[in-house]
Amino acid sequence: AEPIDIAKCYKTKEERDARVVEVMKQVGLNLDYMYRYPHEFSGGQRQRIGIARAIALQPKLIICDEPVSALDVSIQAKIINLLNELQEKMGIAYIFISHDLSVVKHIADRVGVMYLGNMMEMADTESLYAKQILGGDVPSPANPPKGCRFCTRCPKVMDICKTDRPDFKEVEPGHFCACHLYDKK
C-alpha cells in the first residue's frame, strides 16, 4: 500500500485496500500474506511484492534492475513469466537490466549492450543473438582500453580501435553500433 499512500490516489481506506487486494492477486500473492513482516517471505515472494509495489500505480514503464539474479532458476522462470503476463495485460514497457543473457533473450524485444559503462550495440533481440559468442577476459573497468572499450576482445580489431573511440550510430535501420568497421560505409 505504500506507493498508493504516497501518491494519495485513493480517497478512502476501503478503495486503497481494494487496490492492494487487486494487485496482490495480479502478482500471485496469497491474500493471507497481507499482514506479514518482510522477514517472513521467501525470495520469490519478496520479488512478487516488489513487482506489486511497482504496478500498484499502473505505470507505463518499469525499470527492472537485475530482477531475478538472486533467485534460483525455477523461481526465475516464474517471475519472468509473471513479468511477461503483466506486460501483455497492462501494456507495461520494461527497461530490463541484467547480466544473464539467457534471461534477456527470453524477455526482451530489443537489446542494448553495454560494455565497461558504454553503449556498444542496440538491435532487435533476434538479430543481436544471431551473433558469435566471444571469448577473452574483460579489461579492468578502472583501466579501460584507450580507444574502443571492446578492442581487447574483438576478433576484427583494427589499429584505429586501439586509439579512437567509435561513435554510436545507426548502421542499418533499427540497428545501432559503436564500431569503426562501420565508419567506411
Side-chain angles (χ1 to χ4, degrees), residues 71-84:
L71 305 173
D72 68 51
V73 175
S74 64
I75 303 300
Q76 280 185 2
K78 290 177 183 177
I79 297 299
I80 295 298
N81 290 337
L82 173 62
L83 289 169
N84 282 332

Side-chain angles (χ1 to χ4, degrees), residues 132-162:
Q132 71 185 35
I133 302 296
L134 298 168
D137 294 325
V138 178
S140 167
N143 187 23
K146 297 215 181 313
C148 175
R149 297 293 195 238
F150 196 63
C151 72
T152 60
R153 295 184 68 196
C154 181
K156 297 181 180 181
V157 67
M158 303 177 292
D159 288 338
I160 192 172
C161 303
K162 297 173 186 175

Side-chain angles (χ1 to χ4, degrees), residues 156-175:
K156 297 181 180 181
V157 67
M158 303 177 292
D159 288 338
I160 192 172
C161 303
K162 297 173 186 175
T163 58
D164 296 352
R165 186 180 280 181
D167 293 327
F168 187 73
K169 59 186 169 280
E170 190 169 23
V171 296
E172 57 186 52
H175 185 180

